[in-house]
Amino acid sequence: MNVLVVGGGGREHAIVDSIRKDGETRVFCAPGNAGISSQAEVVDLRANAVEDILKFVEEKNIDFTVVGPEQALASGIVDAFAGKKKRIFGPTNLAARLETSKIFAKEFMLRWKIPTASFKTFSKLNLAELDLYLKDAKYPVVLKADGLAAGKGVSIVDSYHDAKDEVEKFFVKRVFGVSGESIVVEEFMSGTEASVFAITDGKDYVVLPPAQDHKRVGDNDTGKNTGGMGSFAPTPFVDDATMQKIRKEIIEKTIEGTRAEGFHYTGCLYCGLMLTPDGPKVVEFNARFGDPETQAILQLIDSSVLDLMEASADGSISSYRLSLSRSAAVCVIAASEGYPDEYQTGKTIEFSERMSGNVKLLHSGTKFSNGKLVTSGGRVLGVTGIDRMGSIGRASNLAYDYLRNVKFEGMFYRRDIGRKAIELESRKEVQ
Ligand code: AMP
Ligand code: GLY
């Protein structure tokens, strides 16, 4: 079987790596990266070059395609493939609006009574109304660009003064371009965050172990939002009762709502959640696997991830049996100095030790230049420690020990990935 994975980051490396476990499969990746090139045949096509990718799939007799990034979904890759009867994992352009338009997602949740922060939407047509709203608001409030903004379109503001500065970014400086022409202003929710992925065929679904991302660039959740600086799974903050609520009140209502509204969601429904004192609430939906959560989560799955993705595309999720190991995984991202703002690339990456069985090294932004492995992105590598007995503390030690053997100029990483879960774990051990 020939499989193509679309994308070229840590998430796609994790997907390629797990597909490779299925022996007989020949794996291609477009555009891939240096790490991926040792496990798949990389193809020099951008992830949202839909027509070129489709042509490649037809020429190479690709049986199944997996879409990693949201930009490709927004470009309508799934619709184009459906038109040519090519099998593909991911939602259509219409269904992906749950991610590509925050306003659409919030209004959808309101229609289907899915728990989320209360909100109002504004555009350049009602700026005076927005100003009045912000004058009266109870702070902090959260401002979000409607469209895709690579995880950077969200700001939490503590005062009217700060809110005005942010509004200027959206509507005057236009830092998010068209994505910021409309915005959502929403209630601030406090609690612990969790990422829960449901793989669905539009009717049935399978839930993967719950994970937690660390979005801020600095330790103790300080500094700017990033694409994600580290993750761990399973998160002990989602207990069985909470998971039941997430299933009933969020995942099932969403799948039911998408069917009732006629846009049939298939692929990975990423539920970004806040575990509040009033129960789990949706922070955001994404229409694809999350990164870096996927780097940790896929290490816990014993059954075939390729079969699962095929079942999602083929409408046969009800007959898929998910088998999980008892492991816990912690993924720490090594990033380039300056990220998530400007950073340099082309820095040589050096390793002083080979990968051990309990550590998975996945590449996010790397390439080969004159035969040398160099950095090519803000997030460069993901190091995932895996503890077979399910200890997040031990998994974290494995990841951090390994990171001491990796070097590139300007490399930095958070030192506290999974810390709160490890504290909870040790309190439980003491009891
Ligand atoms: P999003 O891109 O919508 O996931 O937002 C990025 C990050 O901003 C989230 O992971 C949260 O940490 C934070 N965030 C977004 N919305 C809220 C909210 N309503 N209350 C508190 N934090 C939020
Ligand atoms: N982990 C955040 C994201 O994938 O959007």
Side-chain angles (χ1 to χ4, degrees), residues 35 87 263 384:
R87 293 163 68 237
F263 59 90
T384 302

Side-chain angles (χ1 to χ4, degrees), residues 122-183:
F122 299 92
S123 74
K124 59 179 178 222
L125 302 177
N126 53 2
L127 288 182
E129 208 183 304
L130 170 61
D131 190 57
L132 281 178
Y133 185 83
L134 291 173
K135 268 190 184 134
D136 279 349
K138 199 168 139 264
Y139 286 88
V141 298
V142 186
L143 307 178
K144 297 185 175 183
D146 176 45
L148 292 180
K152 295 176 193 160
V154 174
S155 45
I156 299 169
V157 288
D158 289 319
S159 64
Y160 171 65
H161 180 265
D162 292 350
K164 289 286 285 178
D165 284 350
E166 286 303 316
V167 165
E168 196 174 297
K169 272 196 207 156
F170 288 112
F171 295 105
V172 182
K173 296 184 187 147
R174 291 176 53 84
V175 275
F176 302 110
V178 276
S179 283
E181 278 180 353
S182 299
I183 65 167

Side-chain angles (χ1 to χ4, degrees), residues 37 69 75 87-88 151 168 176 220 336 347 377 413 415 418 421:
S37 71
S75 304
R87 293 163 68 237
I88 188 163
E168 196 174 297
F176 302 110
N220 301 315
S336 306
K347 307 293 181 193
Y413 53 89
R415 311 276 160 163

Side-chain angles (χ1 to χ4, degrees), residues 90-294:
T92 60
N93 193 355
L94 277 185
R97 282 177 302 172
L98 285 178
E99 169 164 9
T100 57
S101 167
K102 300 240 187 231
I103 295 182
F104 176 84
K106 294 296 287 191
E107 288 174 347
F108 175 86
M109 287 186 263
L110 195 62
R111 286 197 290 281
W112 293 93
K113 300 195 171 52
I114 294 166
T116 188
S118 60
F119 71 100
K120 268 184 96 65
T121 65
F122 299 92
S123 74
K124 59 179 178 222
L125 302 177
N126 53 2
L127 288 182
E129 208 183 304
L130 170 61
D131 190 57
L132 281 178
Y133 185 83
L134 291 173
K135 268 190 184 134
D136 279 349
K138 199 168 139 264
Y139 286 88
V141 298
V142 186
L143 307 178
K144 297 185 175 183
D146 176 45
L148 292 180
K152 295 176 193 160
V154 174
S155 45
I156 299 169
V157 288
D158 289 319
S159 64
Y160 171 65
H161 180 265
D162 292 350
K164 289 286 285 178
D165 284 350
E166 286 303 316
V167 165
E168 196 174 297
K169 272 196 207 156
F170 288 112
F171 295 105
V172 182
K173 296 184 187 147
R174 291 176 53 84
V175 275
F176 302 110
V178 276
S179 283
E181 278 180 353
S182 299
I183 65 167
V184 174
V185 180
E186 70 178 32
E187 166 205 7
F188 176 81
M189 300 184 283
S190 27
T192 301
E193 286 186 65
S195 305
V196 173
F197 300 169
I199 310 303
T200 177
D201 55 11
K203 191 162 144 285
D204 300 298
Y205 69 96
V206 161
V207 181
L208 303 186
Q212 188 175 334
D213 186 9
H214 295 62
K215 288 220 172 79
R216 304 288 203 97
V217 70
D219 285 359
N220 301 315
D221 296 325
T222 52
K224 289 196 173 172
N225 263 328
T226 67
M229 293 298 294
S231 63
F232 63 90
T235 165
F237 295 103
V238 176
D239 58 19
D240 290 347
T242 308
M243 187 52 105
Q244 271 315 316
K245 278 195 168 172
I246 295 168
R247 284 173 172 273
K248 294 271 165 281
E249 295 174 12
I250 296 169
I251 299 171
E252 289 171 21
K253 281 192 189 171
T254 303
I255 294 174
E256 188 196 325
T258 57
R259 278 169 68 202
E261 294 189 11
F263 59 90
H264 196 84
Y265 190 101
T266 63
C268 177
L269 175 70
Y270 168 135
C271 307
L273 305 170
M274 191 68 80
L275 308 174
T276 76
D278 302 329
K281 293 187 183 180
V282 176
V283 176
E284 63 165 349
F285 284 125
N286 289 321
R288 35 117 192 134
F289 282 112
D291 196 9
E293 296 95 318
T294 303

